[in-house]
Amino acid sequence: MAAHINFGRREKPAHRHGPTNKLARFRPMNEVIPFMSRCPKCGDRQLQEGYTHRMLRRLLNTHANIEGYCGLCNEFWAISGLERDGIVIGLCD
Ligand SMILES: [Zn+2]
């Protein structure tokens, strides 16, 4: 998804000064935000790791369905309102 474009390279500070609280709280937009959603077929909560921060924000802002996926059942479903709320809380901290 992230285009590999290297021209016009910017000076980016590559060094990170140890673990800081600030960094822990900051979520880059291309970071994958894992969340749990219950598969309607097998009834198990499945870890969803297919969405980045940016994708989730867009889906939430446009009130589009966020789809969960279960690898065992090969099943897709729209996650529940409660599960959406959980993501919103997760993104806001
Ligand atoms: Zn399932």
Side-chain angles (χ1 to χ4, degrees):
M1 182 145 314
H4 254 63
I5 307 170
N6 266 334
F7 46 79
R9 66 191 150 123
R10 249 180 282 154
E11 297 273 327
K12 212 159 81 179
H15 50 262
R16 290 188 178 183
H17 296 287
T20 66
N21 291 333
K22 221 174 172 185
L23 269 177
R25 285 183 155 269
F26 177 67
R27 290 186 176 281
M29 290 305 271
N30 61 356
E31 181 190 342
V32 170
I33 310 288
F35 61 91
M36 301 297 285
S37 181
R38 190 176 300 279
C39 170
K41 204 163 179 180
C42 64
D44 277 346
R45 279 158 62 84
Q46 302 293 339
L47 184 63
Q48 310 299 322
E49 296 181 292
Y51 290 102
T52 62
H53 187 174
R54 185 192 310 277
M55 290 160 77
L56 286 172
R57 276 216 189 274
R58 181 174 305 160
L59 292 168
L60 290 166
N61 287 340
T62 57
H63 303 282
N65 278 338
I66 296 173
E67 281 194 323
Y69 173 71
C70 177
L72 297 174
C73 309
N74 196 28
E75 185 86 359
F76 288 92
W77 64 94
I79 70 167
S80 73
L82 268 178
E83 288 163 347
R84 286 178 78 98
D85 289 348
I87 294 170
V88 171
I89 292 165
L91 291 180
C92 285
D93 69 358

